[in-house]
Amino acid sequence: MSHTPNTPPVGDEIFLLKMGEMVLKGLNRRTFEERLMGNARRRLQKYGKFRIYSRQSITYIEPKEAGCDMEGAFETLSRLFGVVGLSRAKACEKTPEAILETAKTYLHDDLMAASTFKVESKRSDKSFPMTSIQLSQFVGGELNEAFPHIQADMHTPEVVVHVEVRDFAAYVHANPTPGAGGLPVGVGGLAVSLLSGGIDSPVASWMMAKRGVALEMVHFFSYPYTSPEAKEKVLELARLLTPWCGRLTVHVVPFTEIQEELRRSCPEALFTLLMRRFMMRIAQRVAQRVGAHGLVTGESLGQVASQTMEAMAVTGQVVSLPVFRPVVGMDKEEIIRIARKIGTFETSILPYEDCCTVFTPRHPKTRPTLEEIQEAEAALDIEGLIEKAVAGIERVVLNP
């Protein structure tokens, strides 16, 4: 195809992406649109060559060549944050007759399989000779004649025929598919997410990505107490997040020496809290290295002993970056529901332990004071242990 965005892509099937809260962003809106288009462009590279541009709160994605994988592209776009609805649409000339003919042919199978329908029209091009209501009445009446088995239903139709008359062409499509919502990844800055092998941290990561935050992952690995399979499980969780989050780098931190030193030198009841303080310190070091401005955890208030208010206060006290806990007020069933939706649940429940289960105290402290925590840490070479762990980090880059 050789047309430019200034000429109608007549006869082609294209994607229409509808933006959500981005349209409320005022003077910053173009920045959000550019980020959305850039994210879409990167995600679609493996499916063929596409032309991408935005007009009137719609992002248009047109195949530039025959042979584009439209099915794969559509599936990928359904996980693109910043899009509230997406449609496969057919473009046509901006005449009532062309719109009607396109509806008859492009939506033939949908209309044949349904018993009720209605037409919804939107006329962004005010030079079009019909109002939206008139266009809907014209197309609806003619479709009723062409498909006599189907009845008009304005309230609960099985098929909604959408007609949009826009700048460059008219577009016809059926019911839009819900999009991922949220904001384009990257507009909210960069954060480091602490990724374990459990259910909660992948969900927390996904929730922050949905708010436009790009992520780098940190995972703490305690070989030989945790197995190579446990590490692969976490990398697989990160891979499962890439269709939503884009490319991810997982910083795998060797954590065995720190845990063994805690077991040797500190009270057992404080072990988990001291371990989490080391995790937060190391995650902040990674954040500083990559230019991130926040940390993300999967903590849920009251779920385990280390997730009381007092415990979260002492673990967060060692860092200066903001700590985001998006699942903090959710119960386990709510978190599991999201994990199933995003495809991480089945991997999260594989029976490989992570470092948080190593040397678990029999009677963990649930309401610690900062003073007793700092007193226990006085026996440790905190800086030396951190430096050694950071020096041993392995980085694994995962692409969608």
Side-chain angles (χ1 to χ4, degrees), residues 220-226 253-262 355 359:
F220 297 89
F221 182 53
S222 295
Y223 185 80
Y225 301 106
T226 54
V253 180
F255 205 56
T256 308
E257 186 172 339
I258 289 174
Q259 289 189 295
E260 290 178 336
E261 183 61 29
L262 291 175
C355 71
F359 311 139

Side-chain angles (χ1 to χ4, degrees), residues 90-297:
K90 195 76 166 178
C92 63
E93 297 287 352
K94 292 192 287 186
T95 67
E97 296 75 20
I99 292 168
L100 173 62
E101 189 58 34
T102 301
K104 285 180 181 179
T105 55
Y106 185 59
L107 301 181
H108 178 272
D109 292 348
D110 298 84
L111 292 167
M112 287 299 294
S115 59
T116 57
F117 83 111
K118 75 171 181 177
V119 179
E120 287 189 359
S121 300
K122 183 177 294 184
R123 184 189 62 148
S124 300
D125 179 359
K126 301 306 179 186
S127 68
F128 189 76
M130 288 180 171
T131 66
S132 297
I133 293 175
Q134 289 171 337
L135 181 58
S136 293
Q137 290 171 339
F138 168 74
V139 174
E142 293 294 327
L143 289 178
N144 223 166
E145 290 286 329
F147 300 89
H149 72 283
I150 194 168
Q151 299 299 313
D153 182 345
M154 298 300 107
H155 303 292
T156 56
E158 290 179 39
V159 173
V160 180
V161 176
H162 291 267
V163 177
E164 304 189 28
V165 183
R166 294 187 170 272
D167 283 358
F168 309 127
Y171 303 93
V172 176
H173 61 90
N175 304 346
T177 298
L183 297 170
V185 170
V187 297
L190 177 65
V192 166
S193 186
L194 284 72
L195 186 65
S196 72
I199 298 169
D200 304 340
S201 59
V203 170
S205 301
W206 179 85
M207 292 176 71
M208 291 306 295
K210 186 174 182 179
R211 297 312 304 156
V213 177
L215 297 172
E216 300 242 348
M217 304 303 208
V218 171
H219 174 64
F220 297 89
F221 182 53
S222 295
Y223 185 80
Y225 301 106
T226 54
S227 65
E229 289 81 7
K231 174 182 167 184
E232 283 305 313
K233 170 186 170 180
V234 170
L235 293 178
E236 177 60 19
L237 286 172
R239 286 189 194 97
L240 292 170
L241 288 171
T242 58
W244 306 93
C245 303
R247 186 176 70 175
L248 292 174
T249 299
V250 183
H251 303 255
V252 182
V253 180
F255 205 56
T256 308
E257 186 172 339
I258 289 174
Q259 289 189 295
E260 290 178 336
E261 183 61 29
L262 291 175
R263 185 176 62 168
R264 279 193 298 269
S265 305
C266 299
E268 181 190 349
L270 300 178
F271 179 83
T272 301
L273 294 166
L274 295 168
M275 176 187 72
R276 290 193 66 80
R277 280 165 66 91
F278 269 98
M279 289 179 171
M280 298 297 278
R281 291 180 177 111
I282 293 168
Q284 179 162 273
R285 294 289 178 93
V286 173
Q288 290 166 343
R289 176 182 288 177
V290 301
H293 299 288
L295 305 177
V296 180
T297 76

Side-chain angles (χ1 to χ4, degrees), residues 22 28 34 36 57 70 88-89 92 102 133-134 148 154 195 200 206 234 255 258 299 311-312 319 356 383 386 392 397:
M22 290 167 52
N28 292 328
E34 292 287 352
L36 176 69
S57 304
M70 299 294 279
R88 292 177 72 155
C92 63
T102 301
I133 293 175
Q134 289 171 337
M154 298 300 107
L195 186 65
D200 304 340
W206 179 85
V234 170
F255 205 56
I258 289 174
E299 293 164 292
M312 285 192 274
V319 296
C356 294
E383 192 59 32
I386 290 173
V397 178

Side-chain angles (χ1 to χ4, degrees), residues 236-237 240 244 338-348:
E236 177 60 19
L237 286 172
L240 292 170
W244 306 93
I338 296 176
R340 290 186 186 278
K341 170 186 172 180
I342 65 178
T344 57
F345 178 73
E346 296 299 332
T347 300
S348 289

